């Protein structure tokens, strides 16, 4: 079913007509953001807004009549690291301290469908989440935590089948019936192809898997949310509020159509859909964003044929922004997170995760996680926020912002619908390019000082304080996981495992069976996550996204800036002397698909005049060196956001030395704890750029290294 683009264009036109404010500033890269105006009046409020009630369609003022006055939002901290046993201990401590629900972070090896002993994941096991290779790991993760009483949210997309299968088997073996399980599986594959990149299979079979999970849970797990449509990762990739809102809801529309095409009744399954938004520092816009999301979704679902109020409701989890956290003066992040959490609550979220202040440096410590959790407890217990439903409802400013976001998002949804829906739009790459351009504009505004970041481009400390951070011994965790895998394989019924995996492959090829049901049988037989994923990969293949880099954003933002022109002139001189522009190869190694930082660097450097070669995601050190050997470059840039730098970077430098490429300077950027800087310098790294680095300054530093390399030859 495809709705006419005119539907959304009409929404946009109606909202614009009703919105009397004439001075709302453009979302796209404008300092100060949406609604930058000193005063708002009653004529700015759309007609009808004052008459809306909490708990009634279109739910602008909240999905419950009493909201937090009856029950506060769920405090759900996203966590996972090292082994299942270590994460289980962390969970149980947090639950004892007031946390109300679990939110599981899996490591990147798990996300990408690899067992811990696979050669491609040597630097990823247990680093940015918990390693789950089998049912035994899943059982250890929830040991002592009754799954019939605890709501569990799992951020998983690419490897959703084995993870859901192992969760279901762990519950059964804990004595919990599937129909009693509550929680959410993310299962939002479209945004993976758009921004996050932890996909495994091509888009078409990936959407089939998403549909199978929705269908299976609708029949067997009625209390469990089968999909959490995520705008958070768009937010983190640099999307504007309107982009995050529009593309998230467009994804949701696609999943609803998918379920309806399978014969599911919209009013029966819609209650199992939930959403996930990021909350940044544009305080009032973030509040308005959640209100606009509910209003838009109620209209979308009504147009799609939903009749019940539950089907029209948009229920959402939110998380404070990771990208707003700074490495510089990191205790400021406590304040940032508190403001963002308050915005989420004032916007009417159903559950909330608050980031720890040290997450721009490393995985959170127990100390920082306690502050993050207590931020929510203080909001719920001490501020009075739970005593009033939608306390900003009726505010001239908030109502005008809400209407403006409805208008802008409506226009973007209309564009997606004109392409045939989000599945088609993802393939053409339009939404991704729009988000990437917005991210580059934002970075340019920060670099120029137009957008103030305290402690980064204004009010900087003369000397940064060292912050204690969590350490994960990746190799120790990997060896422990490998030992568990070897024990599992030695004690299971190998013939039974082989048969269940063969059945899974046959079902994948046939198109007629539910793949989650088949995966559960394989998990019960003790097939591993990697084996289940490989059985599907044999049929579907493994997807590799095309690598494209936008240009022109920095050029437009910097214009006649003297420093920008100075580096361009130096690059022109370099080009005249050498016969070609200075060239850098940007590498993403390991299974980390978060590429916002790498793409911003690529975009900015290309505009400065560098020749930029962007490597494929998920590369090994050997694959990077193979590319370097075939091209002439002057430096190698490595982007690392998932804590694998101590393994992957030295491995790359070693492989470069073997290939006779050790004269190329290696530049590392990303989330690197300061305590690891000396380790990387000793390994041969030339420059390290952490979060908050001015991109223009990075350009000068890299060019210096390139010029010195040529002088010293």
């Amino acid at each position: 079913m495809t709705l006419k683009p005119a539907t959304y264009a009409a929404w946009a036109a109606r909202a614009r007509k009703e919105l009397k404010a004439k001075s709302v500033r453009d979302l796209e890269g404008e300092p100060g953001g949406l609604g930058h105006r000193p005063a708002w009046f009653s004529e700015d409020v759309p007609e009808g807004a004052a008459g809306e009630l909490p708990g009634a369609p279109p739910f602008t003022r909240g999905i419950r009549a009493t909201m937090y006055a009856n029950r506060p939002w769920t405090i759900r901290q996203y966590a996972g690291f090292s082994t299942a046993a270590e994460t289980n201990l962390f969970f149980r401590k947090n639950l004892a301290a007031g946390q109300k629900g679990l939110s599981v972070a899996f490591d990147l090896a798990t996300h990408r469908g690899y067992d811990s002993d696979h050669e491609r994941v040597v630097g990823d096991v247990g680093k940015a989440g918990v390693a789950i290779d089998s049912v035994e790991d899943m059982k250890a993760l929830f040991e002592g935590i009754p799954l019939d009483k605890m709501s569990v949210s799992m951020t998983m997309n690419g490897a959703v089948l084995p993870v859901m299968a192992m969760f279901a088997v762990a519950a059964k073996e804990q004595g919990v019936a599937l129909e009693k399980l509550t929680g959410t599986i993310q299962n939002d594959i479209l945004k993976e192809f758009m921004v996050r990149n932890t996909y495994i299979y091509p888009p078409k079979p990936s959407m089939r898997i998403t549909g199978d999970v929705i269908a299976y849970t609708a029949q067997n797990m009625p209390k469990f949310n089968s999909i959490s449509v995520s705008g958070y990762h768009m937010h983190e990739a640099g999307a504007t509020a309107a982009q995050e809102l529009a593309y998230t809801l467009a994804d949701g529309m696609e999943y609803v159509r998918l379920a309806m095409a399978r014969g599911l009744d919209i009013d029966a399954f819609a209650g199992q859909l939930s959403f996930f938004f990021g909350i940044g520092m544009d305080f009032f816009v973030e509040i308005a964003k959640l209100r606009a999301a509910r209003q838009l979704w109620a209209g979308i679902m009504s147009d799609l044929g939903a009749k019940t109020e539950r089907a029209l409701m948009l229920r959402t989890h939110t998380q404070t922004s990771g990208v707003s956290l700074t490495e510089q003066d990191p205790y400021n992040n406590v304040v940032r997170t508190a403001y963002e959490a308050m915005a989420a609550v004032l916007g009417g979220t159903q559950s909330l995760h608050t980031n720890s202040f040290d997450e721009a440096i490393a995985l959170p410590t127990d100390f920082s996680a306690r502050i993050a959790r207590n931020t929510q407890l203080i909001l719920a217990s001490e501020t009075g926020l739970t005593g009033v439903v939608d306390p900003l409802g009726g505010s001239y400013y908030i109502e005008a912002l809400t209407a403006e976001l409805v208008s802008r998002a409506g226009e973007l949804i209309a564009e997606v619908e004109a392409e045939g829906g989000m599945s088609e739009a993802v393939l053409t790459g339009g939404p991704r390019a729009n988000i990437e351009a917005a991210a580059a504009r934002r970075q340019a505004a920060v670099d120029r000082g137009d957008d103030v970041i305290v402690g980064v481009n204004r009010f900087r400390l003369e000397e940064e304080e060292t912050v204690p951070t969590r350490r994960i011994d990746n190799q120790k965790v990997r060896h422990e996981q490998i030992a568990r895998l070897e024990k599992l394989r030695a004690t299971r019924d190998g013939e039974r495992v082989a048969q269940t995996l063969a059945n899974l492959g046959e079902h994948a090829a046939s198109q007629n069976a539910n793949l989650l049901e088949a995966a559960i049988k394989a998990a019960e037989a003790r097939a591993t996550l990697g084996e289940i994923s490989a059985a599907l990969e044999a049929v579907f293949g493994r997807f590799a996204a095309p690598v494209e880099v936008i240009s022109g954003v920095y050029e437009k933002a910097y214009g006649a800036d003297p420093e920008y022109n100075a580096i361009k002139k130096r690059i022109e001189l370099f080009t005249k002397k050498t016969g070609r522009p200075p060239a850098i190869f940007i590498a993403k190694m390991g299974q980390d698909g978060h590429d916002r930082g790498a793409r911003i660097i690529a975009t900015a450097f290309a505009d400065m005049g560098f020749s930029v070669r962007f490597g494929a995601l998920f590369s090994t050190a050997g694959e990077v060196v193979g590319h370097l050997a075939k091209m002439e470059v002057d430096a190698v840039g490595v982007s690392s956001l998932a804590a694998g730098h101590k393994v992957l970077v030295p491995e790359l430098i070693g492989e470069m030395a073997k290939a006779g490429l050790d004269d190329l300077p290696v530049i590392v950027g990303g989330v690197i704890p300061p305590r690891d800087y000396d380790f990387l310098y000793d390994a041969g790294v030339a420059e390290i750029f952490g979060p908050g680095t001015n991109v223009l300054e990075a350009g000068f530093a890299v060019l210096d290294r390139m010029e010195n390399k040529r002088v010293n030859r």
Side-chain angles (χ1 to χ4, degrees), residues 612-668:
V612 179
R613 322 286 174 82
F614 201 105
L617 293 174
F618 317 119
S619 295
T620 64
E623 288 166 346
V624 172
V625 171
H627 289 303
L628 294 175
K630 298 174 184 177
M631 59 181 67
E632 189 174 7
V633 297
D634 302 292
V636 182
V638 178
S639 172
S640 176
L641 297 177
H645 51 274
K646 291 183 72 174
V647 173
L648 299 173
V649 174
E651 183 182 0
L652 173 65
I653 292 172
E655 292 292 325
M656 289 171 63
K658 291 178 188 176
L661 298 169
D662 47 333
D663 65 327
L664 289 178
V666 175
I667 319 295
V668 178

Side-chain angles (χ1 to χ4, degrees), residues 341-488:
M342 181 176 284
V345 171
L346 289 171
T349 189
Q350 277 61 70
S351 65
L352 174 63
H353 166 88
T354 33
N355 287 330
S356 300
F357 71 83
D358 51 358
E359 290 188 54
I361 305 170
L363 290 169
T365 63
D366 290 346
F367 171 72
S368 65
R370 178 170 60 86
I371 292 175
R373 182 185 61 252
N374 287 353
T375 298
Q376 295 198 52
L377 293 173
I378 291 167
L379 277 175
S381 305
E382 299 185 25
T383 63
L385 283 178
T386 59
V388 180
V389 178
D390 189 28
L392 293 182
S395 156
Y396 302 154
Y397 185 39
I398 289 296
E399 297 296 356
L401 287 180
T402 301
E404 180 68 8
L405 280 168
V406 167
S407 169
R408 293 181 184 276
E411 291 169 349
L412 291 173
I413 292 172
E415 291 176 6
V416 171
E417 287 295 289
E419 290 195 50
M422 189 54 91
S423 290
E424 294 299 322
V426 163
L427 292 176
T428 61
R432 181 182 188 120
N434 291 341
I435 291 171
E436 192 174 337
R441 282 192 295 269
R442 164 67 172 166
Q443 185 63 46
V446 171
D447 287 350
R448 286 174 57 86
D450 297 331
D451 285 2
V452 175
I453 309 294
V454 173
V456 175
N457 61 5
R458 194 84 62 87
F459 313 111
R460 293 193 63 163
L461 293 175
E462 291 186 8
E463 186 174 340
E464 292 286 343
E465 182 178 349
T466 301
V467 175
T469 53
R470 183 182 293 278
R471 297 171 185 261
I472 301 293
D473 187 338
N474 159 249
Q475 295 305 295
K476 178 175 180 290
V477 174
R478 187 165 186 259
H479 291 150
E480 289 180 13
Q481 288 299 115
I482 290 173
R484 287 173 65 85
L485 280 166
E486 289 173 347
K487 180 180 178 181
L488 178 80

Side-chain angles (χ1 to χ4, degrees), residues 113-135:
Y114 293 117
D115 286 335
S116 296
D117 58 356
H118 198 283
E119 62 183 6
R120 299 191 75 89
V121 299
V122 290
D124 297 303
V125 177
K127 293 296 284 187
V130 60
I132 299 293
D133 292 321
S134 71
V135 167

Side-chain angles (χ1 to χ4, degrees), residues 32-93:
L34 179 67
H36 188 73
R37 184 177 126 191
W40 297 77
F41 306 96
S42 59
E43 58 266 27
D44 298 321
V45 178
E47 295 175 15
E52 291 187 5
L53 298 174
F59 305 108
T60 310
R61 302 198 62 192
I63 64 168
R64 301 278 183 257
T66 53
M67 285 299 289
Y68 308 136
N70 178 50
R71 186 180 70 181
W73 65 93
T74 300
I75 300 173
R76 191 189 296 278
Q77 291 300 95
Y78 180 56
F81 54 87
S82 186
T83 62
E86 288 250 2
T87 302
N88 173 264
L89 180 62
F90 186 83
F91 282 164
R92 291 166 75 171
K93 283 181 180 178

Side-chain angles (χ1 to χ4, degrees), residues 118-325:
H118 198 283
E119 62 183 6
R120 299 191 75 89
V121 299
V122 290
D124 297 303
V125 177
K127 293 296 284 187
V130 60
I132 299 293
D133 292 321
S134 71
V135 167
E136 298 306 319
D137 288 336
M138 192 69 80
K139 289 171 69 176
L141 183 65
F142 296 112
E143 184 177 353
I145 300 173
L147 292 175
D148 56 341
K149 296 181 173 62
M150 181 57 57
S151 173
V152 176
S153 173
M154 295 182 288
T155 299
M156 179 52 62
N157 301 282
V160 66
L161 285 177
V163 166
M164 275 295 289
M166 290 170 186
F167 178 67
V169 174
K172 286 182 181 180
E173 295 186 7
Q174 199 183 83
V176 177
L178 294 185
E179 59 265 25
K180 292 185 178 180
L181 293 174
T182 61
T184 304
I185 185 74
Q186 193 163 97
N187 195 29
D188 175 7
I189 200 63
L190 286 173
K191 66 94 176 45
E192 298 295 328
F193 294 111
M194 201 185 313
V195 290
R196 189 167 177 250
N197 301 315
T198 53
Y199 43 70
I200 301 176
Y201 316 109
K204 188 173 180 179
S206 294
M207 284 293 282
R208 176 192 169 184
I209 289 169
T210 295
D212 280 0
V213 173
I214 293 172
Y216 184 89
T217 52
Q219 184 174 354
N220 299 283
M221 302 166 64
K223 296 181 180 180
F224 198 86
N225 297 325
S226 58
I227 192 165
S228 175
V229 189
S230 176
Y232 178 82
H233 301 95
M234 300 178 204
H235 173 97
E236 293 295 275
T240 65
Q243 287 172 344
E244 179 188 359
L245 187 56
Y247 297 150
T248 304
L249 297 185
D251 281 353
M253 293 164 64
E254 203 77 343
Y255 296 131
V256 170
R257 292 174 179 139
L258 177 68
M260 293 174 71
R262 288 168 170 263
L264 296 177
D265 178 70
I266 188 170
D267 288 312
F269 74 79
Q272 288 183 285
L273 302 177
S274 66
F275 287 80
F276 176 23
F277 288 101
I279 303 295
M281 284 297 290
D282 202 342
F283 187 77
F284 295 107
V285 168
E286 296 297 344
I287 295 166
K289 182 176 73 181
L290 297 186
R291 302 173 90 251
R294 290 191 293 270
Q295 186 180 128
L296 279 165
W297 188 245
I300 288 168
M301 291 299 280
S302 178
D303 281 357
L304 286 169
K307 300 292 191 297
T308 67
E309 287 198 357
R310 180 167 174 77
L312 300 177
M313 289 179 185
L314 181 145
R315 296 164 301 119
T316 189
H317 171 70
T318 51
Q319 181 172 338
T320 59
S321 175
V323 77
S324 71
L325 302 179

